């Protein structure tokens, strides 16, 4: 598992890096050349400037089970399709159950703006939002750690069962000398 962050304008970089470090999870920051930066404790990947270039680079790097921090609903939908675990900077988890409604709301807002309408922008970020993100992000990493530990335990059990099966097969397999004795006795009869 890794944490990939859509870093352009992300207000929770420091918190996310700190929490991921506590869990021993590597962090990748993705940004375009218009927003180049580095943070200690994270690897920065800078892509050429362009519409959604950092988003597509992030999706191409994803592995199932990676955590992704983004406020972009479209990117979150692509991450879900790749088996990743996207989370909003306010701590809301994107899921198969809520992503369609979020994409519809984004589309509706875009249509209103195109028609000349105005929408209220986001309110100033609060400490409560930072706290909600940290709590939700810790919960996500704890869940993934439990799943990883359970998979490791099950793999160990499977290896142990395979070893036991091989030992039983070896024990039950007649030796060459036993086979010759059996064949000789069968020929005499």
């Amino acid at each position: 598992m890794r944490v990939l962050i859509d870093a352009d304008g992300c207000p929770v970089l420091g918190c996310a890096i700190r929490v991921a470090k506590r869990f021993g999870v590597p962090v990748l920051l993705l940004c375009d050349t218009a927003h180049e930066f580095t943070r200690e404790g994270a690897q920065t990947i800078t892509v050429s400037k362009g519409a959604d270039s950092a988003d597509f680079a992030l999706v191409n790097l994803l592995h199932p089970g990676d955590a992704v921090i983004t406020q972009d609903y479209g990117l979150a939908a692509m991450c879900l399709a790749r088996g990743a675990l996207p989370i909003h900077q306010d701590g809301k988890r994107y899921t198969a159950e809520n992503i369609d409604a979020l994409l519809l709301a984004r589309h509706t807002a875009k249509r209103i703006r195109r028609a000349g309408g105005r929408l209220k922008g986001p309110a100033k970020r609060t400490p409560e939002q930072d706290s909600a993100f940290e709590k939700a992000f810790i919960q996500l990493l704890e869940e993934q750690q439990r799943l990883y530990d359970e998979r490791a335990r099950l793999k160990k059990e499977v290896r142990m069962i395979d070893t036991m099966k091989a030992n039983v097969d070896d024990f039950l397999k007649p030796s060459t000398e036993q086979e010759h004795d059996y064949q000789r006795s069968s020929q005499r009869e």
Side-chain angles (χ1 to χ4, degrees), residues 72-90:
D72 182 328
Y73 300 161
L75 175 57
M78 290 188 287
C79 294
L80 285 169
R82 297 285 302 261
L85 306 164
I87 184 171
H88 189 273
Q89 64 195 20
D90 292 342

Side-chain angles (χ1 to χ4, degrees), residues 86-102:
I87 184 171
H88 189 273
Q89 64 195 20
D90 292 342
K92 182 176 180 123
R93 299 271 294 269
Y94 298 103
T95 66
E97 289 76 30
N98 68 14
I99 195 66
D100 288 339
L102 294 169

Side-chain angles (χ1 to χ4, degrees), residues 102-158:
L102 294 169
L103 289 169
L104 178 61
R106 180 181 81 160
H107 175 72
T108 303
K110 188 174 186 179
R111 288 185 63 191
I112 291 169
R113 285 191 302 274
R114 276 193 187 154
R118 293 183 177 251
L119 299 171
K120 188 176 177 183
K124 185 176 175 167
R125 188 159 182 87
T126 66
E128 290 79 20
Q129 288 171 298
D130 290 339
S131 178
F133 168 77
E134 184 171 3
K135 181 179 178 183
F137 188 51
I138 288 170
Q139 183 180 8
L140 184 149
L141 294 180
E142 286 174 343
E143 288 170 7
Q144 287 306 105
Q145 186 64 52
R146 280 192 297 276
L147 287 173
Y148 177 82
D149 292 346
E150 181 65 12
R151 279 190 213 112
R153 185 188 66 75
L154 290 172
K155 284 181 181 179
K156 185 177 179 181
E157 285 183 15
V158 166

